[in-house]
Amino acid sequence: MKISIVTRRSEQGAVLAVTLCICVILAILIGSYLSLIRTQYRSVVRSDAWHEAMVTAEAGVEEAMAQLNSGVTTNDLGVNSWHAIGAGVYQKTNFLGDSYSVVAIKIYPAVTNPYPVIVSRARVPGPASGPPLFRTVQVQTRPRPVFLTPGAMVVVS
């Protein structure tokens, strides 16, 4: 007895085509998921660099506030590693690892108001070998009132 096997070539081609379509769809899904992960990573790294820049700038403001509150008069701010760079501007550079801040205390005649102005500009390395990031903070100072208002923190708007 002779058994003959009859195969249908059209069915074999359909299975191959469906398998290829499923593989292409899975490859597209995996590629888009990896792209989403890369975008999320870059966003987190950039946000971290921005926060580091803000902390570095705030550290510069704290340094300037410590200089102003140290008992040194505004006529002689060029002490404690602060340098007079001309016409009422005193400057200091603070290094924090790879980051740094350049802090300036401006008094009359550099500013028109009678109270010192603090400007702190921070530079941190850019995320993922990108360009460096800069943040600038400017603080308008006021004298401490004679009679303190009760409370831990008082905000005047």
Side-chain angles (χ1 to χ4, degrees), residues 8-148:
R8 297 181 185 167
R9 299 224 180 254
S10 63
E11 287 180 8
Q12 289 176 349
V15 171
L16 180 61
V18 169
T19 304
L20 285 176
C21 287
I22 289 174
C23 288
V24 167
I25 290 171
L26 288 176
I28 290 172
L29 289 174
I30 290 172
S32 50
Y33 181 69
L34 291 175
S35 174
L36 175 72
I37 290 173
R38 185 182 66 202
T39 303
Q40 180 68 24
Y41 173 75
R42 285 184 179 173
S43 175
V44 168
V45 169
R46 183 162 178 81
S47 176
D48 186 40
W50 274 109
H51 291 313
E52 183 183 350
M54 189 64 186
V55 168
T56 305
E58 287 176 351
V61 170
E62 289 293 328
E63 182 79 23
M65 291 297 291
Q67 176 70 358
L68 290 173
N69 291 325
S70 68
V72 176
T73 64
T74 55
N75 295 333
D76 190 25
L77 286 175
V79 295
N80 301 330
S81 302
W82 287 83
H83 304 286
I85 60 173
V89 179
Y90 296 89
Q91 185 171 318
K92 182 177 184 179
T93 303
N94 296 320
F95 292 94
L96 298 169
D98 293 339
S99 307
Y100 67 88
S101 64
V102 178
V103 188
I105 301 176
K106 299 178 180 182
I107 59 173
Y108 182 82
V111 292
T112 57
N113 59 344
Y115 307 117
V117 174
I118 300 169
V119 178
S120 178
R121 181 173 168 93
R123 179 204 178 272
V124 298
S129 301
L133 298 176
F134 295 92
R135 293 229 31 198
T136 303
V137 176
Q138 180 172 330
V139 177
Q140 305 272 341
T141 62
R142 297 280 184 257
R144 186 178 310 152
V146 177
F147 300 104
L148 296 176

